[in-house]
């Protein structure tokens, strides 16, 4: 058992950060053209931490990992991601990246980005495994990005529908949305908002006994395919619905789709709805419509917390936070 701690770096940590960066990058195989990490100095590290911050990881109180931050157009940029060779393969890099994403969320940023090298396939695999995607290549340099989840508070059923309507403004044919949440969490209500935003024909209701229901657009846009996977026994039964035939022309929303429908498309939105009684922790979102509050068993206002997790290249350039009106974290 190791004692691993990750803390936000201070300028006084510059000597430890510099040693880790020089040792880690110095142990890499030769690259063409060579990287610039070994050109870092105590002064450059201090200035970077002073300006944007960074992370220092310690294992058994020994300096083990380092990341420097920068900010780039609303994104948190990671620089000099490095783990001392002595402490590699102990989860240090994973812990630091998780903390970096938390920092980006706390700062209200859209996502995390960095530049990796194509000559280091194991490094690229590390990022792909954590949900990062390739944005572009410039010679040996690979732009790697991850758009962060967006979380909004819906104090009422009307607000939940409003989230769906705003979400519909971002959707296009071929998009897949997977909804997860307990019974009564608001999955169908959110889908009703998506249907309203897409201007589809017919009332959007729970398709539990039909399993899948299609709604054609009244405005020349994509149709909505609404699926309830609650009663499906597994992936083979989902395949029997033959959703692939309509996926490219429709927006497909699958309730209870977690663990079943991810294989339908590499790009998707995973939406997790949770509910709680009492006052909403995050307050009413500015500019959102009101509406009668949902009443829970205890008679209090039933608040929905809606967490939208983008997956895949499709969502990298989509301003989810701004479009959904999510307040800064």
């Amino acid at each position: 058992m190791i004692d691993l701690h990750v803390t936000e770096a201070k300028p006084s940590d510059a000597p430890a950060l510099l040693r880790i960066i020089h040792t880690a990058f110095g142990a890499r195989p030769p690259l063409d053209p060579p990287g610039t990490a070994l050109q870092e100095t105590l002064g450059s590290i201090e200035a970077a931490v002073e300006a944007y911050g960074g992370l220092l990881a310690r294992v058994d109180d020994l300096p083990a990992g380092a990341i420097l931050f920068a900010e780039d157009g609303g994104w948190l940029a990671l620089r000099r991601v490095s783990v001392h060779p002595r402490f590699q393969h102990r989860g240090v890099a994973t812990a630091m990246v998780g903390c970096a994403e938390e920092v980006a969320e706390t700062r209200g940023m859209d996502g995390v980005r960095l530049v990796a090298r194509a000559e280091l396939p194991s490094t690229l695999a590390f990022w792909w495994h954590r949900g990062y995607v390739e944005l572009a290549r410039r010679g040996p340099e690979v732009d790697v990005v991850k758009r962060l989840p967006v979380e909004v508070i819906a104090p009422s059923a009307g607000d939940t529908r409003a989230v769906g309507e705003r979400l519909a403004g971002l959707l296009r044919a071929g998009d897949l949305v997977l909804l997860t949440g307990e019974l009564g969490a608001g999955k169908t209500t959110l889908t009703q908002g998506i249907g309203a935003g897409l201007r589809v024909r017919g009332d959007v209701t729970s398709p539990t006994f039909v399993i899948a229901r299609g709604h054609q657009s009244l405005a020349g846009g994509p149709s909505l395919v609404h699926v309830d996977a609650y009663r499906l026994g597994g992936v083979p039964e989902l395949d029997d619905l033959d959703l692939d035939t309509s996926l490219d022309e429709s927006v497909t929303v699958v309730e209870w789709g977690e663990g079943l429908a991810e294989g339908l498309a590499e790009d998707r939105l995973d939406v997790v709805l949770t509910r709680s009684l009492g006052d909403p922790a995050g307050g009413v979102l500015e500019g959102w419509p009101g509406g009668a509050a949902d009443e829970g068993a205890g008679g209090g206002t039933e608040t929905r917390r809606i967490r939208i997790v983008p997956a895949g290249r499709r969502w990298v350039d989509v301003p989810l936070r701004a479009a959904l009106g999510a307040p800064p974290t």
Side-chain angles (χ1 to χ4, degrees):
M1 179 68 70
I2 64 171
D3 184 15
L4 170 60
H5 293 278
V6 180
T7 59
E8 292 202 44
K10 306 180 293 296
S12 59
D13 294 320
L17 296 169
L18 184 64
R19 285 195 301 272
I20 295 168
I21 292 169
H22 278 187
T23 304
F25 281 87
R28 287 184 171 184
L31 301 176
D32 183 22
T36 59
L38 297 182
Q39 299 174 16
E40 295 283 5
T41 66
L42 197 61
S44 68
I45 298 291
E46 288 177 342
V49 174
E50 184 71 40
Y52 299 108
L55 296 175
L56 174 63
R58 294 181 181 272
V59 172
D60 298 331
D61 208 31
L62 297 175
I67 294 180
L68 301 180
F69 294 151
E71 294 186 6
D72 181 9
W75 292 68
L76 183 70
L78 308 186
R79 301 177 54 246
R80 310 311 190 204
V81 181
S82 47
V83 177
H84 193 288
R86 176 180 174 184
F87 299 106
Q88 290 178 359
H89 310 296
R90 299 194 188 186
V92 175
T94 297
M96 289 196 300
V97 172
C99 290
E101 292 173 3
E102 290 181 6
V103 169
E105 278 200 84
T106 300
R107 296 185 184 183
M109 312 198 83
D110 291 323
V112 178
R113 65 194 316 157
L114 65 140
V115 177
R117 294 293 294 254
E119 309 99 310
L120 302 173
S122 62
T123 299
L124 290 175
F126 169 88
W127 296 108
W128 307 155
H129 182 67
R130 282 151 187 82
Y132 287 72
V133 297
E134 179 180 324
L135 180 63
R137 292 203 181 204
R138 303 181 309 279
E141 295 186 336
V142 183
D143 292 332
V144 178
V145 298
K146 181 178 182 180
R147 184 169 284 279
L148 292 176
V150 174
E151 190 169 279
V152 294
I153 301 298
S156 71
D159 294 308
T160 300
R161 281 191 292 269
V163 175
E165 289 192 48
R166 294 190 179 196
L167 186 59
L170 305 175
L171 297 174
R172 66 189 187 195
D175 284 340
L176 174 65
V177 182
L178 305 187
L179 305 183
T180 302
E182 63 182 352
L183 287 169
K187 298 184 294 298
T188 300
T189 302
L190 183 74
T191 308
Q192 290 170 346
I194 293 174
L198 293 176
R199 295 183 62 190
V200 299
R201 185 187 306 276
D203 295 331
V204 176
T205 59
S206 176
T208 298
F209 298 105
V210 180
I211 306 300
R213 181 179 287 119
H215 298 268
Q216 297 299 313
S217 173
L218 295 172
S223 59
L224 170 66
V225 175
H226 184 199
V227 182
D228 190 325
Y230 183 71
R231 298 181 185 277
L232 296 180
V235 174
E237 292 187 16
L238 181 67
D239 291 341
D240 288 343
L241 297 178
D242 204 20
L243 295 175
D244 291 341
T245 61
S246 62
L247 192 64
D248 290 342
E249 295 81 28
S250 306
V251 170
T252 303
V253 178
V254 184
E255 298 188 29
W256 305 98
E258 185 180 27
L260 287 175
E262 290 87 350
L264 290 173
E266 292 184 1
D267 300 324
R268 64 181 186 276
L269 291 179
D270 295 321
V271 182
V272 181
L273 297 94
T274 56
R275 61 178 181 172
S276 60
L277 297 179
D279 292 331
V284 178
L285 298 183
E286 182 179 354
W288 281 37
D294 294 335
E295 295 297 317
T301 301
E302 195 164 353
T303 300
R304 268 75 177 183
R305 186 178 297 272
I306 304 171
R307 185 171 179 82
I308 301 170
V309 184
R313 176 64 182 82
R314 153 80 172 101
W315 297 102
V316 169
D317 300 319
V318 178
L320 283 170
R321 183 178 299 277
L324 295 174
T329 307

